[in-house]
Coordinates of all heavy atoms in Angstrom, one line a residue:
V321 N -9.6 18.5 -1.6 CA -8.4 18.4 -0.8 C -7.3 19.4 -1.4 O -6.7 20.2 -0.7 CB -7.8 17.0 -0.7 CG1 -6.5 17.0 0.0 CG2 -8.8 16.1 -0.1
Q322 N -7.3 19.4 -2.7 CA -6.3 20.2 -3.4 C -6.7 21.7 -3.2 O -5.8 22.5 -2.9 CB -6.3 20.0 -4.9 CG -5.0 19.3 -5.4 CD -5.2 18.3 -6.5 OE1 -6.3 18.1 -6.9 NE2 -4.1 17.7 -6.9
R323 N -8.0 22.0 -3.2 CA -8.4 23.4 -3.0 C -8.1 23.8 -1.6 O -7.5 24.9 -1.4 CB -9.9 23.5 -3.2 CG -10.3 24.2 -4.5 CD -11.7 24.8 -4.5 NE -12.7 23.9 -3.9 CZ -13.4 22.9 -4.5 NH1 -13.1 22.6 -5.8 NH2 -14.3 22.2 -3.9
R324 N -8.4 23.0 -0.6 CA -8.1 23.3 0.8 C -6.6 23.5 1.0 O -6.2 24.5 1.6 CB -8.6 22.2 1.7 CG -8.5 22.7 3.2 CD -8.8 21.6 4.2 NE -10.2 21.0 4.0 CZ -10.4 19.8 3.6 NH1 -9.4 18.9 3.4 NH2 -11.7 19.3 3.5
A325 N -5.8 22.6 0.4 CA -4.4 22.8 0.5 C -3.9 24.1 -0.1 O -3.0 24.8 0.5 CB -3.7 21.6 -0.1
G326 N -4.5 24.5 -1.2 CA -4.1 25.8 -1.9 C -4.6 27.0 -1.1 O -3.9 28.0 -1.0
N327 N -5.8 26.9 -0.5 CA -6.3 28.1 0.2 C -5.9 28.2 1.6 O -5.4 29.3 2.1 CB -7.9 28.0 0.2 CG -8.4 28.1 -1.2 OD1 -7.8 28.6 -2.1 ND2 -9.6 27.6 -1.4
V328 N -6.0 27.1 2.4 CA -5.8 27.2 3.8 C -4.4 26.8 4.1 O -3.8 27.2 5.2 CB -6.8 26.3 4.5 CG1 -6.7 26.4 6.1 CG2 -8.2 26.5 4.1
G329 N -3.8 26.0 3.3 CA -2.4 25.4 3.6 C -2.6 24.3 4.7 O -3.6 23.7 4.7
Y330 N -1.6 24.1 5.5 CA -1.6 23.0 6.4 C -1.3 23.6 7.8 O -0.8 24.7 8.0 CB -0.7 21.9 6.0 CG 0.7 22.3 5.8 CD1 1.6 22.4 6.8 CD2 1.2 22.5 4.5 CE1 2.9 22.8 6.6 CE2 2.5 22.8 4.2 CZ 3.4 23.0 5.2 OH 4.7 23.3 5.0
V331 N -1.6 22.7 8.8 CA -1.4 23.1 10.2 C 0.1 22.8 10.5 O 0.6 21.8 10.1 CB -2.3 22.1 11.1 CG1 -2.1 22.5 12.6 CG2 -3.7 22.2 10.7
M332 N 0.7 23.7 11.3 CA 2.1 23.6 11.7 C 2.1 22.5 12.8 O 1.5 22.7 13.8 CB 2.7 24.9 12.1 CG 2.6 26.0 11.1 SD 3.5 25.6 9.6 CE 5.2 26.1 10.1
D333 N 3.0 21.5 12.6 CA 3.0 20.5 13.6 C 4.3 19.7 13.4 O 5.1 20.0 12.5 CB 1.8 19.6 13.5 CG 1.4 18.9 14.8 OD1 2.3 18.8 15.7 OD2 0.3 18.4 14.9
D334 N 4.5 18.6 14.1 CA 5.8 17.9 14.1 C 6.1 17.3 12.7 O 7.3 17.0 12.4 CB 5.7 16.7 15.0 CG 6.0 17.1 16.5 OD1 6.8 18.1 16.6 OD2 5.5 16.4 17.4
H335 N 5.2 17.3 11.8 CA 5.5 16.8 10.4 C 6.3 17.7 9.6 O 6.9 17.4 8.6 CB 4.2 16.4 9.7 CG 3.2 17.6 9.5 ND1 2.7 18.3 10.6 CD2 2.8 18.2 8.4 CE1 2.0 19.3 10.1 NE2 2.0 19.2 8.8
V336 N 6.2 19.0 9.9 CA 6.7 20.1 9.0 C 8.2 19.8 8.6 O 8.5 19.9 7.4 CB 6.5 21.5 9.6 CG1 7.2 22.5 8.8 CG2 5.0 21.8 9.7
P337 N 9.1 19.6 9.6 CA 10.5 19.4 9.2 C 10.7 18.2 8.2 O 11.6 18.1 7.5 CB 11.3 19.2 10.5 CG 10.4 19.7 11.5 CD 9.0 19.5 11.0
F338 N 9.8 17.2 8.4 CA 9.8 16.0 7.5 C 9.2 16.3 6.1 O 9.8 16.0 5.1 CB 9.1 14.8 8.2 CG 9.8 14.4 9.5 CD1 9.6 15.1 10.7 CD2 10.8 13.4 9.4 CE1 10.2 14.7 11.8 CE2 11.5 13.0 10.6 CZ 11.2 13.7 11.8
L339 N 8.1 17.0 6.2 CA 7.4 17.3 4.9 C 8.3 18.2 4.0 O 8.4 17.9 2.8 CB 6.1 18.2 5.3 CG 5.2 18.6 4.2 CD1 4.4 17.4 3.7 CD2 4.3 19.7 4.6
R340 N 9.0 19.1 4.6 CA 9.9 20.0 3.9 C 11.1 19.2 3.2 O 11.7 19.7 2.3 CB 10.5 21.1 4.8 CG 9.4 22.1 5.1 CD 10.0 23.2 5.9 NE 8.9 24.2 6.2 CZ 9.0 25.1 7.2 NH1 10.1 25.1 8.0 NH2 8.0 26.0 7.4
R341 N 11.3 18.0 3.8 CA 12.4 17.2 3.2 C 11.8 16.1 2.3 O 12.5 15.1 2.0 CB 13.2 16.5 4.4 CG 14.1 17.6 5.1 CD 14.7 16.9 6.3 NE 15.7 17.8 6.9 CZ 15.5 18.8 7.7 NH1 14.3 19.1 8.1 NH2 16.5 19.5 8.2
G342 N 10.5 16.2 2.0 CA 10.0 15.3 1.0 C 9.3 14.1 1.5 O 9.0 13.1 0.7
V343 N 9.1 14.0 2.8 CA 8.5 12.8 3.4 C 7.0 12.8 3.2 O 6.4 13.9 3.3 CB 8.8 12.7 4.9 CG1 8.1 11.5 5.6 CG2 10.4 12.5 5.1
D344 N 6.4 11.7 2.9 CA 4.9 11.6 2.8 C 4.3 11.7 4.2 O 4.7 11.0 5.1 CB 4.5 10.3 2.2 CG 4.6 10.3 0.6 OD1 4.7 11.4 0.1 OD2 4.4 9.3 0.0
V345 N 3.3 12.5 4.3 CA 2.7 12.8 5.6 C 1.2 12.6 5.6 O 0.5 13.0 4.7 CB 2.9 14.3 6.0 CG1 2.1 14.6 7.3 CG2 4.4 14.5 6.3
L346 N 0.7 11.9 6.6 CA -0.8 11.8 6.8 C -1.0 12.4 8.2 O -0.5 11.9 9.2 CB -1.2 10.4 6.8 CG -2.7 10.1 7.1 CD1 -3.6 11.0 6.2 CD2 -3.1 8.6 7.0
H347 N -1.7 13.6 8.3 CA -1.8 14.3 9.5 C -3.3 14.1 10.0 O -4.2 14.6 9.4 CB -1.6 15.8 9.2 CG -1.3 16.6 10.5 ND1 -1.3 18.0 10.4 CD2 -1.1 16.3 11.7 CE1 -1.0 18.4 11.7 NE2 -0.9 17.4 12.5
I348 N -3.4 13.4 11.1 CA -4.7 13.2 11.7 C -4.9 14.2 12.8 O -4.5 13.9 14.0 CB -4.9 11.7 12.1 CG1 -4.6 10.8 10.9 CG2 -6.3 11.4 12.7 CD1 -5.6 10.9 9.7
I349 N -5.5 15.3 12.5 CA -5.7 16.4 13.5 C -7.0 17.0 13.1 O -7.3 17.3 12.0 CB -4.5 17.4 13.5 CG1 -4.7 18.4 14.6 CG2 -4.4 18.1 12.1 CD1 -3.4 19.3 14.8
P350 N -7.9 17.3 14.1 CA -9.2 17.8 13.8 C -9.1 19.2 13.2 O -8.2 20.0 13.6 CB -9.9 17.9 15.1 CG -9.2 16.9 16.0 CD -7.8 17.0 15.6
G351 N -10.0 19.6 12.3 CA -10.2 20.9 11.8 C -11.7 21.2 11.8 O -12.4 20.5 11.1
P352 N -12.1 22.1 12.6 CA -11.4 23.0 13.6 C -10.8 22.2 14.8 O -11.2 21.1 15.0 CB -12.4 24.0 14.1 CG -13.8 23.3 13.9 CD -13.6 22.4 12.7
F353 N -9.8 22.9 15.5 CA -9.3 22.3 16.7 C -10.3 22.1 17.8 O -11.3 22.8 17.8 CB -8.2 23.2 17.3 CG -6.9 23.3 16.5 CD1 -5.9 24.1 16.9 CD2 -6.7 22.5 15.4 CE1 -4.7 24.2 16.2 CE2 -5.5 22.5 14.7 CZ -4.5 23.4 15.1
P354 N -10.1 21.2 18.7 CA -11.1 21.1 19.8 C -11.1 22.4 20.6 O -10.1 23.1 20.7 CB -10.4 20.0 20.7 CG -9.4 19.3 19.9 CD -9.0 20.3 18.8
P355 N -12.3 22.8 21.2 CA -12.5 24.0 21.9 C -11.6 24.2 23.1 O -11.3 25.3 23.5 CB -14.0 24.1 22.3 CG -14.5 22.7 21.9 CD -13.6 22.0 21.0
V356 N -11.1 23.0 23.7 CA -10.2 23.1 24.9 C -8.8 23.4 24.5 O -8.0 23.5 25.4 CB -10.3 21.8 25.7 CG1 -11.7 21.5 26.2 CG2 -9.8 20.6 24.9
W357 N -8.5 23.5 23.3 CA -7.1 23.6 22.8 C -6.3 24.7 23.5 O -6.7 25.8 23.6 CB -7.0 23.8 21.3 CG -5.7 24.0 20.7 CD1 -4.7 23.1 20.7 CD2 -5.1 25.2 20.2 NE1 -3.5 23.6 20.1 CE2 -3.8 24.9 19.8 CE3 -5.6 26.5 20.0 CZ2 -2.9 25.9 19.2 CZ3 -4.7 27.4 19.4 CH2 -3.4 27.1 19.0
H358 N -5.2 24.3 24.1 CA -4.2 25.2 24.8 C -4.9 26.0 26.0 O -4.5 27.1 26.3 CB -3.5 26.2 23.9 CG -2.4 25.5 23.1 ND1 -1.5 26.2 22.4 CD2 -2.1 24.2 23.0 CE1 -0.6 25.4 21.9 NE2 -1.0 24.2 22.2
S359 N -6.0 25.4 26.5 CA -6.5 26.0 27.8 C -6.4 24.9 28.9 O -6.2 23.8 28.6 CB -8.0 26.3 27.6 OG -8.8 25.2 27.8
M360 N -6.6 25.4 30.1 CA -6.5 24.5 31.3 C -7.6 23.4 31.2 O -7.6 22.4 31.9 CB -6.6 25.3 32.6 CG -5.3 26.1 32.9 SD -3.8 25.1 33.0 CE -4.0 24.5 34.7
R361 N -8.6 23.7 30.4 CA -9.7 22.7 30.3 C -9.3 21.4 29.4 O -10.0 20.5 29.3 CB -10.9 23.3 29.6 CG -11.7 24.2 30.6 CD -12.9 24.9 30.0 NE -12.4 25.7 28.8 CZ -12.9 25.6 27.6 NH1 -14.0 24.8 27.4 NH2 -12.4 26.3 26.6
D362 N -8.1 21.5 28.8 CA -7.6 20.3 28.1 C -7.0 19.3 29.1 O -5.8 19.1 29.2 CB -6.5 20.7 27.1 CG -6.1 19.5 26.2 OD1 -6.8 18.4 26.4 OD2 -5.2 19.6 25.5
D363 N -8.0 18.7 29.8 CA -7.6 17.7 30.9 C -8.4 16.4 30.7 O -9.2 16.3 29.8 CB -7.8 18.3 32.3 CG -9.2 18.8 32.5 OD1 -10.1 18.4 31.7 OD2 -9.4 19.6 33.5
G364 N -8.1 15.5 31.6 CA -8.8 14.2 31.6 C -10.3 14.3 31.6 O -11.0 13.5 30.9

Side-chain angles (χ1 to χ4, degrees):
V321 178
Q322 249 145 3
R323 255 203 318 276
R324 189 186 301 114
N327 295 337
V328 187
Y330 52 83
V331 182
M332 304 300 275
D333 206 341
D334 278 330
H335 59 301
V336 172
F338 295 85
L339 186 75
R340 287 180 180 161
R341 289 171 169 84
V343 174
D344 277 349
V345 170
L346 177 56
H347 196 192
I348 302 297
I349 187 170
F353 286 178
V356 299
W357 178 65
H358 282 193
S359 85
M360 289 299 278
R361 286 175 304 130
D362 184 8
D363 57 15

